[in-house]
Amino acid sequence: MQDGTFSPLGHSEETWTRGDVFAANCPTRQLLDRIADKWSTLILIVLGEGPIRFNALKGRIDGVSQKMLSQTLKSLERDGLVSRTVVPTVPVSVTYAVTPLGMTLMAAMQSIIDWAETRMPDVAAAQAVYDDRPSDIH
């Protein structure tokens, strides 16, 4: 366990202990669940390319509903991974971007993305072998 201090904006300084993702009530598990979600991952990848407006982001991520995109962006913003900038134009212009904290996550995610993009043929071959086995072995 690693101890440290944590001081969220607007809160007094609190002492924290490094999380344990194997504990059911650990906030670290909740964060891991959120950042490992497919929509969060895809949103962060697109935002890693640069700031983008909501509708352009929706257009880049095939299959995401407006409701899911909005909910996921709010969660990522709450976690400090995404920033939301409102420009008072007519109509109002809202732009989303990755924060510096989000960029540190992007660096970690890039290895997983690279692995998935280059190892998909190996995974597909393993799936085919599995699917070709008699059903009583599954």
Side-chain angles (χ1 to χ4, degrees), residues 30-83:
Q30 295 166 0
L31 179 60
L32 184 60
D33 186 43
R34 188 165 32 262
I35 62 175
D37 170 79
K38 73 176 173 182
W39 299 125
S40 294
T41 301
L42 295 173
I43 289 167
L44 287 168
I45 291 167
V46 172
L47 293 179
E49 298 170 356
I52 190 169
R53 293 181 61 178
F54 184 90
N55 285 332
L57 182 58
K58 186 176 182 308
R60 277 281 269 129
I61 303 173
D62 192 29
V64 68
S65 69
Q66 183 164 334
K67 179 181 177 183
M68 183 55 66
L69 180 57
S70 180
Q71 287 176 347
T72 306
L73 283 166
K74 285 179 184 179
S75 293
L76 293 170
E77 183 181 6
R78 182 172 184 263
D79 292 336
L81 303 173
V82 167
S83 66

Side-chain angles (χ1 to χ4, degrees), residues 20 24 35 49-50 52 72 83 103 105 117 122-123 127 138:
D20 177 7
I35 62 175
E49 298 170 356
I52 190 169
T72 306
S83 66
M103 289 304 288
L105 174 59
E117 289 180 343
D122 299 326
V123 171
Q127 290 171 342
H138 292 156

Side-chain angles (χ1 to χ4, degrees), residues 9-35:
L9 296 176
H11 295 84
S12 61
E13 192 170 280
E14 301 173 21
T15 301
W16 60 274
T17 303
R18 182 182 173 118
D20 177 7
V21 296
F22 298 103
N25 63 347
C26 180
T28 306
R29 182 186 282 190
Q30 295 166 0
L31 179 60
L32 184 60
D33 186 43
R34 188 165 32 262
I35 62 175

